[in-house]
Amino acid sequence: MIMAVNSQQIADRQAMEKIINRYPPERRFILAIMQDLQKHLNYLPKEALKMTADHVNAPMTVIFSMATFYKAFSLVPKGRVVLKACDGTACHIKGSNVLIDEIYSCLGIKPGETTADGDFSLETVNCLGACALAPVLVANGKVYPKVTPAALRKIINEYRGQDNDSNTSE
Amino acid sequence: MKVTIDGIEIEVETGKTILEAAREAGIDIPTLCYSEAFGGQGVCRMCMVEVKTGNRKRFVASCTYPITGEIEVQTKTPELEEIRRNIITLLYRRAPNSDLMKKLYQDYSCSEVKGVDPEESCIMCRLCVKACEKVGANAISTVLRGTEKRVSTPFDEESPECIGCSACADTCPTGAIRVVEEGGRREIWHKSFEMLRCEKCGGYYSTLPVREHVTEQLELDYADDSLCPNCRRKKLAKEVAEVR
Ligand code: SF4
Ligand code: FES
């Protein structure tokens, strides 16, 4: 195991340990543990996967296989602001691709990517169940209905440079 | 229990899979992800057969379907041929570099498709993963999902678990796993191993960690004997002959 070398790393480790130790050391809790870790850390660091494997006494292959299977998990840090563009049928017809292109021209990120400054991530989701509001965009859990390219630019500016760590994912 | 497979009546034990029962009766059902050593996985669906119970007819994977009642099984209907042809077409499209898939693709006269990646050989049968599990190393698994799914070590890095036994590559039906043996070293899954040399014939035959692993697993004292499987067999035969 890699030794934590500075106080930040020690603190991170302790935080991860705390989350993991909330669950009984059984394999059936792997998903729940990883969801919890993802929620608190915004991604699943390698160290977190190792600690999970040790905790439930499962091989790393099992953990890694699951962590890469589910879209809800990310192995690289997600942005401070997570944009979710709905690309379900209704939003698709109502031009979600235009929004996705617009996000690319504003921020230079495609679905699954994060800006270099770590401010924004973009994900697509397959229907949020709000088809009447199509096209829908969700930014850090807040739903924006009937988004036009102009509205999109406003939303992005709203979040840009804003430094509070209000990461209410989901 | 009595079952009929392709019109032949067979007496089988409850719980046996259709595939096992058929093979015992000399009826061949094609498979891709099945190995006697690991049992049925139900991954490839090549082994699909038609099962009839009463008036109900359905398709099942024979390698994972345990016989629990009197059933009538067909293994070679036009519909099944079509299912298998579709599977082969798709797998050939995924793994056009595999000799096995090239052959099946021709044998089944599949309609023309172009391979996605001409270098790809893996058909995702998971036999390598099973082999690795069985060995007790757990160094590889499937990663990602959908069209991106593949077999790898965690993070595509050298795995501390890997002992370089190459059981994965030996099991692989398509030769998709790269093993390089050169200058007394074996390279596999981003990791390099020192190989063991047979004290009799001098041939390289395994890796250092494999011997440690085997010794540990079987609680054997192996240390004074390093023979390749061939020389070991000869030695044993000689010992047996002497006893007689
Ligand atoms: S590497 Fe070989 S054994 Fe492993 S899944 Fe691919 S084809 Fe099957
Ligand atoms: S052999 Fe039965 S599913 Fe592959």
Side-chain angles (χ1 to χ4, degrees):
Chain A
M1 189 122 311
I2 308 152
M3 291 299 283
V5 287
N6 61 36
S7 53
Q8 180 58 46
Q9 273 172 306
I10 294 171
D12 286 350
R13 245 194 97 85
Q14 278 170 348
M16 292 191 259
E17 239 155 42
K18 220 174 120 198
I19 294 170
I20 294 169
N21 286 334
R22 281 209 284 254
Y23 295 88
E26 291 167 42
R27 279 200 189 196
R28 63 196 168 103
F29 293 109
I30 295 173
L31 266 187
I33 293 174
M34 291 202 296
Q35 277 177 318
D36 219 353
L37 287 166
Q38 171 78 43
K39 191 166 163 202
H40 284 88
L41 309 167
N42 222 3
Y43 80 115
L44 297 176
K46 205 181 205 175
E47 185 81 353
L49 297 184
K50 278 201 192 119
M51 287 164 69
T52 308
D54 290 344
H55 183 69
V56 301
N57 195 22
M60 188 61 174
T61 42
V62 170
I63 310 288
F64 191 76
S65 190
M66 287 169 89
T68 56
F69 184 84
Y70 294 101
K71 266 206 173 172
F73 301 129
S74 172
L75 297 188
V76 290
K78 283 203 183 158
R80 188 176 54 80
V81 182
V82 178
L83 302 175
K84 289 185 183 162
C86 182
D87 201 16
T89 313
C91 287
H92 190 82
I93 289 168
K94 288 280 196 172
S96 56
N97 55 327
V98 176
L99 289 188
I100 292 167
D101 288 349
E102 188 67 21
I103 292 172
Y104 183 74
S105 60
C106 284
L107 299 168
I109 49 170
K110 291 187 196 133
E113 294 178 351
T114 300
T115 54
D117 58 9
D119 265 356
F120 290 92
S121 290
L122 173 61
E123 286 168 19
T124 54
V125 287
N126 293 327
C127 196
L128 290 160
C131 304
L133 309 177
V136 180
L137 183 83
V138 179
N140 274 0
K142 189 164 175 217
V143 179
Y144 293 88
K146 300 191 176 168
V147 184
T148 59
L152 176 76
R153 284 183 181 271
K154 247 178 93 187
I155 298 166
I156 289 176
N157 282 332
E158 222 175 90
Y159 283 91
R160 196 166 0 219
Q162 156 190 312
D163 251 334
N164 58 338
D165 257 40
S166 59
N167 256 338
T168 46
S169 37
E170 263 26 78
Chain B
M1 187 165 309
K2 266 195 188 57
V3 297
T4 334
I5 306 182
D6 290 347
I8 304 167
E9 211 169 86
I10 306 166
E11 187 63 40
V12 293
E13 282 163 49
T14 313
K16 202 162 250 180
T17 63
I18 296 176
L19 180 66
E20 287 165 336
R23 291 209 167 161
E24 272 166 33
I27 298 163
D28 184 48
I29 299 173
T31 60
L32 285 172
C33 74
Y34 178 79
S35 143
E36 232 168 87
F38 315 138
Q41 297 194 82
V43 171
C44 71
R45 318 309 278 184
M46 255 308 261
C47 65
M48 292 285 258
V49 296
E50 190 189 294
V51 171
K52 217 167 133 193
T53 22
N55 294 330
R56 249 179 96 228
K57 186 180 102 173
R58 61 200 177 111
F59 296 116
V60 303
S62 63
C63 71
T64 50
Y65 190 98
I67 297 169
T68 54
E70 297 199 351
I71 48 170
E72 219 176 282
V73 180
Q74 291 294 333
T75 73
K76 288 171 194 70
T77 68
E79 275 154 301
L80 289 169
E81 287 299 301
E82 187 59 28
I83 291 175
R84 290 181 190 136
R85 186 172 307 114
N86 282 337
I87 292 170
I88 290 164
T89 310
L90 291 172
L91 286 179
Y92 172 79
R93 190 169 174 272
R94 177 195 155 88
N97 193 33
S98 144
D99 290 340
L100 174 69
M101 287 327 296
K102 278 183 211 162
K103 182 171 182 303
L104 288 171
Y105 179 68
Q106 299 222 316
D107 289 354
Y108 278 76
S109 345
C110 299
S111 50
E112 199 167 324
V113 283
K114 215 173 151 269
V116 178
D117 173 0
E119 303 285 305
E120 184 62 84
S121 304
C122 172
I123 55 169
M124 292 306 297
C125 66
R126 287 187 96 257
L127 283 170
C128 51
V129 176
K130 277 274 168 194
C132 193
E133 265 172 35
K134 261 269 160 41
V135 165
N138 292 302
I140 52 171
S141 63
T142 52
V143 301
L144 300 168
R145 78 189 284 176
T147 52
E148 291 183 296
K149 192 167 182 151
R150 58 194 167 83
V151 174
S152 188
T153 53
F155 301 98
D156 287 326
E157 284 171 359
E158 133 172 2
S159 153
E161 265 58 71
C162 183
I163 54 172
C165 67
S166 86
C168 51
D170 298 341
T171 318
C172 178
T174 66
I177 297 171
R178 215 173 112 82
V179 190
V180 182
E181 278 172 18
E182 226 172 42
R185 297 195 74 84
R186 173 185 287 169
E187 219 166 298
I188 185 167
W189 294 117
H190 324 286
K191 200 168 177 180
S192 171
F193 296 88
E194 189 183 322
M195 289 196 76
L196 285 174
R197 221 176 184 147
C198 173
E199 58 185 27
K200 195 127 201 195
C201 69
Y204 292 112
Y205 69 98
S206 191
T207 69
L208 226 54
V210 167
R211 189 163 67 172
E212 279 160 23
H213 183 76
V214 171
T215 314
E216 205 175 287
Q217 295 271 305
L218 302 178
E219 293 171 13
L220 275 181
D221 196 10
Y222 232 138
D224 54 329
D225 175 350
S226 33
L227 294 174
C228 71
N230 226 338
C231 293
R232 182 178 306 281
R233 215 172 298 128
K234 282 187 199 150
K235 187 181 162 198
L236 272 176
K238 204 169 145 227
E239 279 169 9
V240 172
E242 274 163 14
V243 169
R244 287 191 173 170

